[in-house]
Amino acid sequence: MEYATQSSWIVIPHDSKDRNDLKLHFRTCAEREMDFLGLEQRRYEIPTLIVIDSLTRSILTTGGIQDIKQHPTIAGGTPKDVDILTNW
């Protein structure tokens, strides 16, 4: 994992094994990926921004895009992060 150049958040590279592991763990993926990942049901659809506490590994929110737009300081969000999410 690496830090995003545009914000202070950690980004998981698109081709990383961690990416699929997280999709399986949270059962969050695009519908077309369900067969590949072996998922019969998904918990969240795409796009979903799940914000995780890096120390406790607990879920802070599954509605990250909306939450950060409304409260930019949640999970270390900054006004720059709001700009990024607004254009996402």
Side-chain angles (χ1 to χ4, degrees):
M1 290 188 230
E2 60 191 56
Y3 281 95
T5 57
Q6 298 178 343
S7 74
S8 59
W9 297 344
I10 296 174
V11 173
I12 300 165
H14 196 278
D15 59 350
S16 170
K17 181 185 178 310
D18 293 332
R19 188 177 187 95
N20 285 340
D21 290 346
L22 287 168
K23 287 178 183 182
L24 286 169
H25 179 77
F26 292 108
R27 294 192 349 234
T28 303
C29 65
E31 188 173 0
R32 68 176 189 255
E33 296 177 295
M34 290 176 68
D35 283 339
F36 174 76
L37 294 170
L39 292 175
E40 293 182 21
Q41 256 185 329
R42 51 188 176 162
R43 192 176 296 147
Y44 309 104
E45 296 183 10
I46 300 296
T48 297
L49 177 61
I50 299 172
V51 180
I52 303 167
D53 185 298
S54 63
L55 297 176
T56 66
R57 297 185 181 181
S58 61
I59 296 174
L60 297 176
T61 182
T62 58
I65 295 171
Q66 195 61 28
D67 290 347
I68 290 172
K69 283 180 182 179
Q70 292 176 359
H71 309 282
T73 58
I74 188 172
T78 66
K80 187 174 187 177
D81 297 323
V82 173
D83 289 342
I84 292 167
L85 293 173
T86 300
N87 296 316
W88 190 14

